[in-house]
């Protein structure tokens, strides 16, 4: 057992809420109707977990079957459509909360893969997909190329690192509440630090990738 | 048992045919090639059911395994590519038939979820997804933001209402051929009435949603 | 058993490598970042197989669980981001290798469907989806209408023909290493011949489909 299950549930609800908030905000900016806002809150908050559950055979996915999680995205969606102007002003806070959602999703998702005994590689994939899949589906539904594929931010790399850490802890029998929370904290710190310091993924076409990231050039 | 199974099959085939017709028409308008028309007929007619079957673990999905259903979408696709000019002129009829497809899909889809014992909430989701999922996949494949997220028409709300009604009838043991057909009729009536009266979903960003729908303003 | 399993694995790895190469090239052209290149290599090389495995219930899909296959797409992705200029110059070779990938995917995919006992029609679908699904997901993620739906090239028809041939060989008990390789060769030849001779799928809207393909008109 990674965490006392009440704590694990509370953390998952928090992650879903913040991710759903960011999905709903992007729907409001794209001028979707109210139903569109609720759907985007749903896919951004729960889409990564739905992909994970389909890939590991855990059907029906919790994203359509768990009332607490579905209620969470509905609350986030309605709140956004009512208070989006105020939430926009909290943009900096939303970015931080979004980093928390990433860390929580990655740890919870990798762990679920390992519990379903899919092997370390598939667990690594589904952990990462739990973290970034919701945003990808959100972008595809709103007709954009997924941000995570093109904006050069470090989003997937903290996810992969966190997922890998969970796999290593699991395989060495050292995964417990404290180490699990440590991985969450590490992913959050990595993500926020990369934003703050402007670390980016290299463009593929420059051939510059042996230095895996580099500081974004400031304009002179 | 909801309906005599022959009747249930006949209704499903009818729903698939009308949905496939609308998918094929949109492919012709986008100037896809003949294969593209057949694929769009297939995803629009059967894509919602394929998503449903994957989400409830009913594999292989009927949308790739049932010869009668696959033949139905092929006939709709070829017919559209031959007679699309004539079908375009029947646009009003197509809208009505499309409403029938929605009602049939929602009832059949919710029922299948309940039969697979996925719980009421997941059944509600897969019923709605059966109804509107095909159109969403069609729009994503043709590079559009799904209509159902942005055009403010009442499409998902009748679907959710119908799916909820099936869940209530099932839980209270009162689901049978007559009540099931009643739900289909209710969804169709709700959908057509909303088109006729111009009811729309509020824009999310106006904050006007406490009145859940409002009459579309006529230009002066 | 279709093929000695070592040979079958080697062929699958080759198919995945060439498909991943073409996916990574399209990511470089779209100026995605390095992570985007790796993801596009992955979805193009393994996405068709992942869809197949989800549709037949073979979870977790090999595309996230098999280290050899995942390593193959990573190598293709990194190689493309380092050497894309040189690979672009080999465009003609890439087209031929891509045709090999199509043939291999179709035969391996149809066979896996038949081994999972999903019926001939579902096997036909998953064989074709294994062949063309990766390219469809690649195009959707990069915001394009899938090429296979609109460019009128014969891509899906060789796939369907190959998949149908495998089904017939399986049902008649004549599927073995030699006939299986024969189908691969037939798909490759059909695909390359269609490119060379300029055969195209008719536009749906011209109503000209009773002649299933026609020579592309040369400009005068």
């Amino acid at each position: 057992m990674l965490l006392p299950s009440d704590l694990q549930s509370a953390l998952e609800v928090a992650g879903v809420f913040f991710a759903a908030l960011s999905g709903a905000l992007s729907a409001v900016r794209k001028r979707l109707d109210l139903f569109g806002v609720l759907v985007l809150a749903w896919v951004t908050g729960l889409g990564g977990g739905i992909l994970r559950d389909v890939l590991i055979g855990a059907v029906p996915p919790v994203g359509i079957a768990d009332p607490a999680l579905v209620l969470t995205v509905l609350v986030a969606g309605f709140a956004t459509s009512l208070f989006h102007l105020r939430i926009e002003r909290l943009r900096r806070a939303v970015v931080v909360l979004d980093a928390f959602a990433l860390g929580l999703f990655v740890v919870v998702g990798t762990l679920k893969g390992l519990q379903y005994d899919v092997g370390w590689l598939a667990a690594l994939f589904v952990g990462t997909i739990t973290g970034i899949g919701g945003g990808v589906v959100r972008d595809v539904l709103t007709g954009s190329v997924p941000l995570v594929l093109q904006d050069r931010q470090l989003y997937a790399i903290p996810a992969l690192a966190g997922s890998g850490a969970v796999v290593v802890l699991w395989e060495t029998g050292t995964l417990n509440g404290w180490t699990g929370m440590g991985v969450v904290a590490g992913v959050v710190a990595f993500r926020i630090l990369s934003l703050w310091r402007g670390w980016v993924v290299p463009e593929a076409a420059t051939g510059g990738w042996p230095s895996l990231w580099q500081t974004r050039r400031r304009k002179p």
Side-chain angles (χ1 to χ4, degrees), chain A residues 2 165-180 183:
Chain A
L2 169 68
V166 173
V167 168
V168 169
L169 292 170
W170 175 275
E171 297 288 344
T172 58
T174 53
L175 184 62
N176 59 44
W178 296 105
T179 56
V183 175

Side-chain angles (χ1 to χ4, degrees), chain A residues 54-205:
Chain A
V54 166
L55 289 171
I56 66 176
V59 291
V62 291
I64 64 170
D66 183 328
L69 295 180
V70 171
L71 186 65
T72 301
V73 300
L74 291 181
V75 170
F78 279 113
T80 304
S81 96
L82 274 182
F83 306 120
H84 58 98
L85 292 177
R86 244 165 288 184
I87 296 171
E88 285 282 9
R89 256 178 276 136
L90 300 173
R91 180 186 287 264
R92 199 174 290 250
V94 170
V95 167
V96 172
L97 296 173
D98 204 56
F100 269 96
L102 181 68
L104 294 164
F105 279 167
V106 164
V107 172
V108 171
T110 311
L111 183 65
K112 186 161 184 182
L114 291 165
Q115 286 165 341
Y116 273 74
D117 205 19
V118 294
W120 68 270
L121 184 61
L124 191 76
F125 265 98
V126 298
T128 305
I129 288 171
T130 309
I132 70 180
V136 170
V137 179
R138 175 200 62 204
D139 292 344
V140 167
L141 282 182
T142 55
S144 318
V145 176
L147 262 182
V148 73
L149 300 183
Q150 61 169 0
D151 77 348
R152 306 183 58 201
Q153 281 189 22
L154 295 194
Y155 201 79
I157 292 174
L160 275 166
S163 192
V166 173
V167 168
V168 169
L169 292 170
W170 175 275
E171 297 288 344
T172 58
T174 53
L175 184 62
N176 59 44
W178 296 105
T179 56
M181 292 300 295
V183 175
V184 172
V187 172
V188 174
F190 191 171
R191 168 80 183 131
I192 290 178
L193 204 62
S194 78
L195 282 174
W196 181 45
R197 303 291 302 167
W199 292 339
V200 294
V201 183
E203 272 189 61

